[in-house]
Amino acid sequence: MSEHRRKPPQPQGGGRAAARRGQSGSSSGRRAAPRGATGSLADSYGTSSQESAAFGPGGDERQYGSRAEARRAAQRSAGGGGRRRGPEPGRGNRRGAPTGRGRAADPGRKRLIDYPRAGKYGVARWVPSWKLVTGLFIGFIGSLVAVAGVGYALVSVPNIDKTATAQNNVFYWSDGSEMVSTGGETNRQIINLAQIPKAMQYAVVSQENKTFYTDSGIDPKGIARAVFNMVRGGETQGGSTITQQYVKNALLNDQSQTVTRKFKEIFISIKVGATVNKDQIMAEYLNSAYYGRNAYGLQAAARAYFNKDAEKLDPGECAFLAATLKGATYYDPAGATSIDPANATPEANQKRALRQMQDTLNKMVEYGHLSAADRANYTSLPKWQNPRSNTQLKGQVGYLVDLAKAYLVNKKIITADQLQQGGYSIYTTFDKKKVGELEAAVKKVRKENIDPKKRPTKDTFVQFGGASVEPSTGAIRACYGGEDATTHFTNNCDSTGAQVGSTFKTFVLAAAMKWGVRDPDLGESQAQDERTVVNAKSLFSGKNDLKIKNYDGSIWKNEEGKEWLQENDGKQSYGSPPKFQIDLREAMRESVNSAFVQLGMDVGLDKVKEAAMDAGLKENSLAGTNFPSFSIGISDPSAIRMAGAYATFAASGKQNEPFSVERVTSKDGEVFKHKAAPEQAFEKKVADNVTDVLKTVVDKGTGTNAKLTGRDVAGKTGTTDGNKSAWFVGYTPQLSTAITMFRLDDDETKKNRTFLEMYGTGGQEKIHGASFPSEIWHDYMEQALKGQPTIDFPTPEPIGKVLNEEPSPTPTPTPTESESSTPTPTPTPTPSFVTPSPTASETCRFTWQCDDSSGGTDNGGTDGGVTPTPTATSTEENSNGNGNGNGGLFGGSTG
């Protein structure tokens, strides 16, 4: 008979069994009470067939035929009833609360992870128990231990013999022949621990890892800090012990900051810490670390900075070298401006190095490695020597290597750290033959003319710089940086601070031919659009002490309200009075300041600046445009930049960025290859007309010393205020070269170095661009172009209009001091002028351009008259440079 079938009603009451059942029902609470007695909705529809079987009408308990049946009925009642379907696991009742019923809520069944928590309601259901949290934590730690164990078992200590010695970087000439092999291997000498001063060991321990002799090779706190930085997206640095640094530098040969490499470093460091003696780790770390100046290892560093053996280093020198381990770029007291011109200056680096050195010494005292009395002896930087230790870098090679490295780093092709690790083949643009010829030309002039013993106050500190750029590509073919890269550290072809003088007039002419002069009858905004392009026959005043006017005819005044009078070289006027008019070709040929200063004002100095930048000069090498003298060269671009800018005109207006590296390869293949990207900076007819005017300068002007046999040459001389620098920049269709000469105190540790006058230098009354610079240019270019085909400049197309329509005069300068290599008689005290033939027109297109006889309150004379900032110009420009030029290959000094 089925247990689900109803049994006939049984008699009620009586007997011990009934009494027991009554007692059991009363003690079991709800389960014993009839459902109908609760008054709940379940009384109407919630009873099951099993409950009906157990209880009769009115809640009376039914009697069962056997104990087994009664037991089964009780079990069914306790479990929620046989086949009655309760809520599904995880599902609540109609109010959303879990019922606890159904198989998932069965208190008799245990889950592996009690989450969400059974028997809990609301928020409490989702709060993990302490048992769960503890279990998960133990599981996580166990997993880490397992991973660490597997990692430790799998890694092995790399072979130091294969990685501790950094590779060379090999530099090649443009023809593919080797220039120099330089890098870690050529400047490392391994020494043993006995040759390493205790002070050096303690300096590194005190500053980098005070627990070195007791730790396991890693710093858990440091690693946690590094992991935290990684999680935040920052660098992974910050957790390295000496052992880890040793592993990274000497064993891993991998400077990347990836998570994979960091964990690999940690596991290897632990194994090294457990298997390698601490003294061995210390010795190999100090022998493999990089200290700057191409010095790998302590012995090479001691020689590079102090020219002594490592074992003779004192505590102060040891503390200093420990500072360089943090990054020699920012701790070398000589500076590293080729890598970071803004921040790695000598002054900034010296402050950082001294601060770090003092901190290290203080920690050595604190940790008991140095007595306070000894520490008191080292309060300033130790006396350091020049930053070159590789004798292969003598002569011009060091400058060329610097240019190539700076190009790669500043263009973000290779990082400084990667270069330090080595392994690159760097193919430069430098022509070995041309470099030698440029150096020979400079040496010839120096040997024949510069004699500091004979003229100590005139010939001391004379310096030359030069650069040669290929117009068709922008490749730097030659560079003269100084007498010797191991003794003179500033690269004179890349940065000098020497102002360029009248060589800047070329950009004024280019601006006038590109944009034209403004119409004085129009308002300022309209005048910017309504312009008249000029040509070489346009007339401007060549009067000495010319009153300079704004484009609208008003007199230009400085911030003090003083008028400006522009002086010409030798106080000479050009043209016949009273107009003193001269065309632009003649003004360029004779380097007439007044004509080009006024032309610059008419065009707008902002446009002159734009033309200079279009040609290839960097903005931060250009002076401000607040003064008329901007047009005659108060800016200080480098020789490389000037050669590159003039090369733009040689290439008929196509501007190629100067570059020093053709390609780079490594063991993994090609790393970089230069791709030409010329820009048409000027229309062809503009550039060709500028070239045509500059040809006149060489053919029959101030640049006649630069004439080459059978070749077209265009160029411009430049001399500066106070005779503090002189230039010649010129070009043929195949090659553009800039030569500079100046006097500058060669003590490169001084701040605010100033340029010195060159009156009497080389036995000449005054140094002009037409003298020694043009002579060097000529001697070099004759040899550099030997064997190359003769190419003429293109015939220029007509351009612009003639301002002041009559033909220009043809002046013959009065014999006065001018830009000429031939000594001339002393000029008369009174201003002179050149009488032109034919007579200039009495009529000017713009009446305000015709000079009047009234004079201003200031004179643009020997010292520039008005003295603004920058100092106003005189003979051909202003100059009171400080030797900290911003005109380098990348717009900044490259040291």
Side-chain angles (χ1 to χ4, degrees):
M1 183 180 205
S2 171
E3 63 181 8
H4 298 291
R5 296 178 58 186
R6 291 181 178 271
K7 296 189 178 197
Q10 301 293 324
Q12 302 292 321
R16 295 180 178 177
R20 282 197 302 272
R21 284 193 296 271
Q23 293 171 356
S24 174
S26 63
S27 64
S28 62
R30 278 187 167 181
R31 198 168 58 186
R35 284 190 176 268
T38 66
S40 69
L41 292 175
D43 294 335
S44 303
Y45 53 79
T47 57
S48 67
S49 60
Q50 288 86 348
E51 291 171 325
S52 299
F55 299 93
D60 295 331
E61 184 178 354
R62 291 187 175 277
Q63 301 298 316
Y64 292 88
S66 69
R67 292 182 180 179
E69 290 178 359
R71 186 165 54 254
R72 285 193 294 271
Q75 290 173 348
R76 287 194 298 272
S77 177
R83 294 184 179 179
R84 187 177 73 85
R85 300 178 61 87
E88 295 178 7
R91 182 180 294 177
N93 61 18
R94 284 184 296 176
R95 295 191 180 186
T99 63
R101 288 180 177 174
R103 294 188 181 275
D106 188 349
R109 299 182 61 188
K110 294 185 178 181
R111 292 182 294 172
L112 180 62
I113 299 177
D114 184 21
Y115 193 83
R117 298 175 66 184
K120 301 291 183 180
Y121 306 95
V123 176
R125 177 175 171 81
W126 302 99
V127 177
S129 66
W130 67 269
K131 292 181 179 180
L132 178 60
V133 172
T134 302
L136 291 175
F137 177 77
I138 293 173
F140 176 75
I141 296 300
S143 299
L144 287 182
V145 171
V147 170
V150 172
Y152 183 85
L154 292 178
V155 300
S156 59
V157 178
N159 188 344
I160 190 172
D161 293 334
K162 295 180 180 179
T163 57
T165 302
Q167 302 176 71
N168 286 334
N169 291 315
V170 183
F171 293 81
Y172 297 90
W173 295 103
S174 60
D175 64 0
S177 61
E178 185 174 321
M179 177 196 302
V180 63
S181 178
T182 179
E185 187 176 3
T186 58
N187 196 24
R188 172 189 273 113
Q189 301 84 44
I190 302 298
I191 56 178
N192 57 43
L193 188 68
Q195 295 171 286
I196 299 176
K198 283 290 185 182
M200 187 65 201
Q201 301 175 48
Y202 291 144
V204 174
V205 168
S206 298
Q207 186 59 249
E208 301 290 338
N209 181 196
K210 66 179 180 179
T211 62
F212 168 72
Y213 289 104
T214 58
D215 63 33
S216 62
I218 62 170
D219 176 10
K221 291 182 180 179
I223 293 173
R225 181 170 60 250
V227 171
F228 179 68
N229 288 338
M230 283 191 291
V231 172
R232 293 192 309 168
E235 296 181 352
T236 58
Q237 298 171 341
S240 295
T241 62
I242 288 176
T243 303
Q244 285 177 265
Q245 293 178 51
Y246 160 66
V247 168
K248 180 175 64 175
N249 293 339
L251 303 180
L252 282 180
N253 196 25
D254 180 3
Q255 301 299 311
S256 63
Q257 291 297 320
T258 62
V259 175
T260 301
R261 191 210 55 80
K262 196 69 180 178
F263 276 110
K264 187 176 181 181
E265 173 190 306
I266 291 172
F267 289 135
I268 295 177
S269 297
I270 294 173
K271 180 158 285 190
V272 169
T275 59
V276 181
N277 180 273
K278 291 288 186 179
D279 285 345
Q280 182 181 343
I281 293 173
M282 173 62 72
E284 292 177 350
Y285 167 64
L286 293 176
N287 275 313
S288 63
Y290 181 71
Y291 297 81
R293 299 192 178 187
N294 199 38
Y296 290 81
L298 183 63
Q299 174 66 14
R303 283 291 175 184
Y305 287 95
F306 308 118
N307 196 27
K308 62 169 65 173
D309 290 330
E311 60 187 350
K312 296 181 180 179
L313 295 171
D314 62 40
E317 292 164 339
C318 291
F320 166 81
L321 290 177
T324 64
L325 292 174
K326 287 186 168 294
T329 297
Y330 299 101
Y331 289 92
D332 186 336
T337 51
S338 62
I339 295 176
D340 190 345
N343 300 310
T345 62
E347 295 78 12
N349 280 16
Q350 288 169 25
K351 289 180 180 178
R352 274 190 288 264
L354 179 60
R355 183 168 57 248
Q356 188 68 25
M357 169 188 163
Q358 296 301 306
D359 181 65
T360 299
L361 290 169
N362 291 338
K363 288 179 178 177
M364 290 172 70
V365 174
E366 179 184 350
Y367 302 145
H369 302 313
L370 183 69
S371 69
D374 286 342
R375 188 261 176 272
N377 295 324
Y378 309 106
T379 57
S380 61
L381 282 177
K383 187 177 180 180
W384 47 274
Q385 65 168 7
N386 76 76
R388 299 190 186 279
S389 58
N390 191 336
T391 57
Q392 297 182 69
L393 299 175
K394 282 184 175 294
Q396 300 305 305
V397 172
Y399 301 124
L400 303 180
V401 168
D402 278 352
L403 282 174
K405 290 169 66 175
Y407 182 82
L408 294 173
V409 172
N410 282 280
K411 293 294 184 180
K412 302 186 185 305
I413 298 167
I414 299 175
T415 68
D417 285 342
Q418 288 171 332
L419 276 176
Q420 291 166 6
Q421 287 299 308
Y424 296 99
S425 295
I426 300 168
Y427 296 85
T428 74
T429 61
F430 307 124
D431 185 310
K432 184 177 183 179
K433 178 175 176 289
K434 288 182 174 62
V435 170
E437 289 163 347
L438 180 54
E439 184 176 28
V442 174
K443 285 183 175 180
K444 176 177 176 289
V445 166
R446 180 181 288 278
K447 182 179 180 180
E448 293 177 355
N449 301 279
I450 308 302
D451 191 346
K453 293 181 179 179
K454 183 178 180 180
R455 292 178 293 271
T457 61
K458 304 295 183 181
D459 289 9
T460 305
F461 304 132
V462 172
Q463 296 184 35
F464 295 92
S468 208
V469 174
E470 190 173 77
S472 61
T473 63
I476 304 170
R477 294 306 184 193
C479 169
Y480 181 85
E483 291 186 79
D484 190 331
T486 63
T487 58
H488 173 80
F489 313 134
T490 299
N491 191 341
N492 289 348
C493 75
D494 194 35
S495 179
T496 63
Q499 297 179 353
V500 296
S502 290
T503 59
F504 202 81
K505 291 173 183 173
T506 298
F507 307 119
V508 182
L509 179 63
M513 289 182 169
K514 181 175 182 178
W515 289 289
V517 299
R518 294 169 288 185
D519 190 330
D521 298 326
L522 301 177
E524 184 174 351
S525 59
Q526 189 177 357
Q528 292 293 339
D529 299 324
E530 300 291 333
R531 291 172 172 267
T532 302
V533 172
V534 305
N535 62 25
K537 295 181 180 180
S538 296
L539 300 174
F540 283 80
S541 177
K543 182 181 182 297
N544 182 56
D545 288 346
L546 178 67
K547 184 184 297 184
I548 300 302
K549 301 177 181 180
N550 296 307
Y551 84 93
D552 61 2
S554 60
I555 305 299
W556 188 91
K557 297 179 180 179
N558 67 3
E559 68 277 2
E560 298 176 356
K562 295 181 180 180
E563 296 179 354
W564 183 281
L565 296 180
Q566 182 57 54
E567 183 179 280
N568 289 329
D569 185 31
K571 301 181 183 298
Q572 178 174 301
S573 293
Y574 292 82
S576 61
K579 299 297 188 290
F580 290 101
Q581 292 211 324
I582 184 173
D583 70 32
L584 290 178
R585 183 183 298 275
E586 295 302 306
M588 186 72 81
R589 182 175 76 86
E590 296 297 337
S591 199
V592 180
N593 290 340
S594 56
F596 280 96
V597 169
Q598 187 59 64
L599 177 60
M601 297 297 287
D602 296 347
V603 174
L605 298 184
D606 59 329
K607 292 299 185 184
V608 175
K609 179 179 180 179
E610 188 174 343
M613 293 173 61
D614 287 345
L617 300 188
K618 288 294 186 181
E619 184 173 12
N620 62 358
S621 72
L622 300 178
T625 57
N626 296 326
F627 299 93
S629 55
F630 177 77
S631 293
I632 50 175
I634 60 175
S635 300
D636 59 3
S638 69
I640 289 176
R641 283 292 169 184
M642 287 299 290
Y646 271 51
T648 299
F649 300 109
S652 294
K654 289 184 179 179
Q655 195 271 329
N656 287 282
E657 183 72 6
F659 69 103
S660 56
V661 178
E662 290 277 5
R663 63 190 179 98
V664 179
T665 62
S666 71
K667 62 181 179 62
D668 299 320
E670 188 172 271
V671 175
F672 162 77
K673 185 174 183 179
H674 174 77
K675 295 181 179 179
E679 296 183 2
Q680 193 71 40
F682 300 95
E683 291 183 26
K684 184 178 186 302
K685 65 179 180 179
V686 171
D688 291 346
N689 273 276
V690 170
T691 294
D692 191 59
V693 171
L694 295 183
K695 280 179 61 181
T696 306
V697 175
V698 177
D699 289 343
K700 52 183 178 179
T702 59
T704 54
N705 276 353
K707 284 184 179 180
L708 299 177
T709 306
R711 293 184 184 274
D712 273 357
V713 176
K716 184 69 186 77
T717 54
T719 308
T720 60
D721 178 40
N723 204 210
K724 295 175 181 177
S725 64
W727 290 72
F728 184 81
V729 187
Y731 55 91
T732 67
Q734 298 106 315
L735 201 61
S736 176
T737 300
I739 302 295
T740 181
M741 176 182 178
F742 54 92
R743 287 183 67 210
L744 181 64
D745 187 345
D746 205 34
D747 186 352
E748 295 171 280
T749 64
K750 288 184 178 179
K751 296 180 181 179
N752 301 320
R753 297 158 65 201
T754 57
F755 288 87
L756 307 174
E757 294 180 345
M758 293 190 292
Y759 296 110
T761 296
Q764 297 197 3
E765 184 176 349
K766 181 179 181 180
I767 299 297
H768 292 89
S771 56
F772 298 141
S774 64
E775 183 179 342
I776 293 171
W777 190 96
H778 169 271
D779 292 349
Y780 160 66
M781 290 290 280
E782 282 282 17
Q783 297 301 315
L785 295 172
K786 185 175 290 186
Q788 295 192 26
T790 299
I791 302 176
D792 294 333
F793 289 118
T795 301
E797 298 178 23
I799 191 173
K801 296 181 179 180
V802 179
L803 300 185
N804 307 316
E805 297 173 358
E806 293 297 322
S808 64
T810 306
T812 302
T814 302
T816 59
E817 184 179 30
S818 64
E819 286 195 299
S820 171
S821 61
T822 304
T824 56
T826 304
T828 57
T830 57
S832 61
F833 63 90
V834 176
T835 303
S837 178
T839 305
S841 170
E842 296 290 328
T843 303
C844 297
R845 181 174 183 270
F846 298 151
T847 57
W848 51 267
Q849 288 181 333
C850 300
D851 183 67
D852 56 42
S853 59
S854 60
T857 58
D858 278 292
N859 188 291
T862 302
D863 295 315
V866 183
T867 309
T869 303
T871 306
T873 73
S874 69
T875 56
E876 282 194 67
E877 76 154 349
N878 154 68
S879 166
N880 220 2
N882 59 13
N884 298 317
N886 294 316
L889 179 57
F890 306 101
S893 172
T894 58

